[in-house]
Amino acid sequence: MKKIDIHKLTLSSVLIAIALVLSTMSYMIYFSGGAGMRIGFSSYISVLPAFLFGPLWGGLTMGIMDVLAFIIK
């Protein structure tokens, strides 16, 4: 692997870990007794790989992040 690929992989994995931790710290707002919407900060972290490395790498990172968040919850 190239040095750039290892850099992308390392930084993306760190951002995934941060986003997973932040996704557990979200706040749920209830409307008329039911779950309305969830407010969290993990979405700001999850778009960083797309800005830094392009849409393909960002999409792969977000997909992995969604699967891991689903497994954790």
Side-chain angles (χ1 to χ4, degrees):
M1 291 181 86
K2 297 178 188 177
K3 184 177 181 180
I4 295 174
D5 292 339
I6 294 173
H7 177 71
K8 280 184 183 180
L9 184 64
T10 306
L11 186 60
S12 295
S13 62
V14 168
L15 290 173
I16 287 172
I18 292 171
L20 289 176
V21 169
L22 287 176
S23 70
T24 61
M25 297 181 212
S26 60
Y27 181 72
M28 179 66 78
I29 296 177
Y30 295 97
F31 294 122
S32 62
M37 71 179 184
R38 181 176 301 272
I39 296 176
F41 298 107
S42 66
S43 60
Y44 299 116
I45 302 296
S46 66
V47 297
L48 281 177
F51 286 134
L52 294 174
F53 305 122
L56 179 64
W57 191 265
L60 289 171
T61 304
M62 284 187 216
I64 291 169
M65 195 179 318
D66 285 339
V67 169
L68 289 176
F70 178 75
I71 291 171
I72 288 173
K73 289 189 179 189

